[in-house]
Amino acid sequence: MFSARQIFSQVQRRSFSASSRQASKVTVLGAAGGIGQPLSLLLKLNPRVSTLALYDIRLAPGVAADIGHINTKSEVQGFDATPSALAEALKGSEIVLIPAGVPRKPGMTRDDLFNTNASIVRDLAKAAADHAPEANILIISNPVNSTVPITAEVFKSKGVYNPKRLFGVTTLDVVRASRFISQLKNTDPANENITVVGGHSGATIVPLLSQSGYSLEGEKLDSYVNRVQFGGDEVVQAKGGAGSATLSMAMAGARFAESLLKAAQGQKNVVEPTFVDSPLYKDKGCEYFASNVELGPNGVEKIHPVGKITDYEQKLLDVCLGDLSKNIAKGVQFVKEKP
Ligand code: NAD
Ligand code: LMR
């Protein structure tokens, strides 16, 4: 007779070997950066990844050599900063994560990064559209509210846009919202899953605490919402000019990639918050919007509506939509003016 524990571990082993048989190439563009390195490390530890392709304008072969010594099965490839190496890094990729670009310093908004990062993301998006047109593209580079529309416009201009395969990574907002409520309520953050909708910067980040069954009032609610909206600034301040969140972001990016791989390999009911081409607020000028999204083998399976919210949350959402529509328009305009 087998114990329940023995049977469970056999089932786990079988499903592990089934999933590990599926070849999944994952590419990181910006792999030698503050996010890129720990993100690549976490992806190397993921048994669902069979090939890890690391590209950066500096140091990627070194990072690949280092990570490549870790005793997990996946093959790690590092690429020099040449167009042919970038093409090779992208070819056959199932997931392309893009954390390439500059981070904030104290006193800056994410939109202040636009001038530098818009062209970095545009050029990497061009390469992805040419060499991995069917991959899931995960945008981490800020300002996400604008870099996602930039990527979409590039893919559209090359005739390969698939709205189901483009994701702005907003997972860190949910990770923070869950952690911060657990600190207030003395609960296990692993059991918290606070819905956060909108975009990824300041007032466009809208936590929907009421949907989790919690109620905070007055100043407590204001300060919780403010901490979620400006959690990134906390890290930027604490790092004192040396960058923004890297380690928590690596965890959030790896979690999102893992969810996509799980969904691609047949797991059902995989839901993650993410900034996608969305019908929810197109009438308000927001072609892209983050809400809970069910993932599947084709990428976006189902976009969940925002659902029931309080009057307080509705006011947050109204402010969000105003800002977000401008951020989106700025990204679209950039590609029109500088294709
Ligand atoms: P970083 O400066 O440490 O690393 C960026 C890396 O990108 C560097 O290694 C750099 O060489 C590389 N790079 C620059 N141009 C490139 C190009 N054309 N091709 C390939 N690689 C290129 O910065 P970081 O801390 O890793 O942050 C990266 C980006 O992620 C920033 O824009 C930051 O604001 C953003 N970010 C987003 C979130 C989020 O929640 N979405 C969270 C944290 C940071
Ligand atoms: C974050 O939320 O930590 C990132 O968007 C980086 C930043 O600039 O705050």
Side-chain angles (χ1 to χ4, degrees):
M1 273 304 260
F2 290 115
S3 70
R5 183 189 284 269
Q6 283 168 320
I7 291 168
F8 179 62
S9 83
Q10 277 189 356
V11 170
Q12 265 196 322
R13 259 203 303 277
R14 241 176 270 139
S15 64
F16 169 80
S17 56
S19 59
S20 61
R21 268 202 301 276
Q22 307 198 23
S24 290
K25 176 174 171 179
V26 176
T27 301
V28 182
L29 306 180
I35 296 168
Q37 292 203 33
L39 173 60
S40 302
L41 168 66
L42 292 172
L43 292 167
K44 174 65 176 142
L45 300 180
N46 187 332
R48 295 180 201 274
V49 177
S50 56
T51 303
L52 185 56
L54 306 183
Y55 173 86
D56 199 297
I57 49 171
R58 56 173 199 121
L59 280 182
V63 173
D66 187 353
I67 286 179
H69 286 187
I70 292 170
N71 62 335
T72 58
K73 268 191 183 167
S74 50
E75 186 200 345
V76 185
Q77 304 164 341
F79 293 89
D80 291 319
T82 64
S84 62
L86 176 56
E88 202 50 44
L90 287 164
K91 220 169 281 167
S93 203
E94 186 174 328
I95 296 184
V96 178
L97 291 122
I98 309 187
V102 293
R104 283 197 287 164
K105 289 189 189 317
M108 291 172 82
T109 66
R110 291 180 185 79
D111 189 52
D112 293 333
L113 303 172
F114 188 96
N115 286 346
T116 309
N117 289 353
S119 53
I120 293 175
V121 172
R122 177 200 58 200
D123 295 347
L124 291 174
K126 280 183 190 171
D130 286 342
H131 304 292
E134 284 167 16
N136 296 294
I137 311 291
L138 279 52
I139 304 293
I140 295 172
S141 316
N142 271 316
V144 167
N145 294 356
S146 304
T147 50
V148 167
I150 286 172
T151 306
E153 290 304 307
V154 168
F155 272 64
K156 283 177 195 170
S157 72
K158 289 182 175 274
V160 291
Y161 180 54
N162 179 351
K164 294 182 174 210
R165 297 258 186 224
L166 174 61
F167 306 89
V169 182
T170 56
T171 322
L172 183 53
D173 299 319
V174 172
V175 167
R176 283 184 180 133
S178 303
R179 176 63 182 149
F180 298 164
I181 196 68
S182 81
Q183 288 173 315
L184 286 176
K185 299 286 183 186
N186 219 4
T187 56
D188 182 349
N191 297 330
E192 301 292 0
N193 194 11
I194 308 296
T195 301
V196 182
V197 300
H200 178 69
S201 76
T204 70
I205 300 170
V206 180
L208 302 177
L209 195 59
S210 67
Q211 294 186 352
S212 64
Y214 287 121
S215 67
L216 293 174
E217 301 292 337
E219 255 180 47
K220 275 200 175 150
L221 178 57
D222 291 344
S223 99
Y224 172 76
V225 168
N226 187 270
R227 192 165 183 218
V228 174
Q229 292 186 325
F230 295 94
D233 296 60
E234 247 180 58
V235 183
V236 170
Q237 286 296 336
K239 290 196 174 178
S244 55
T246 54
L247 304 172
S248 49
M249 181 58 231
M251 174 270 170
R255 165 176 143 176
F256 192 77
E258 158 74 350
S259 291
L260 264 177
L261 289 169
K262 273 201 278 197
Q265 292 170 6
Q267 195 161 314
K268 300 283 176 218
N269 301 319
V270 181
V271 176
E272 284 285 357
T274 170
F275 185 68
V276 293
D277 189 320
S278 169
L280 297 182
Y281 296 98
K282 278 200 203 266
D283 61 338
K284 308 262 186 214
C286 295
E287 218 175 319
Y288 306 87
F289 188 82
S291 66
N292 282 328
V293 172
E294 191 177 322
L295 305 171
N298 301 313
V300 173
E301 198 69 43
K302 185 177 168 204
I303 296 174
H304 290 239
V306 160
K308 194 167 176 284
I309 60 177
T310 62
D311 291 348
Y312 178 95
E313 290 164 346
Q314 183 62 53
K315 282 191 191 123
L316 295 176
L317 187 56
D318 292 341
V319 176
C320 156
L321 294 172
D323 287 2
L324 191 52
S325 59
K326 289 182 206 132
N327 297 158
I328 292 168
K330 188 171 173 179
V332 171
Q333 190 60 22
F334 173 78
V335 181
K336 288 209 165 85
E337 283 170 10
K338 298 182 177 161

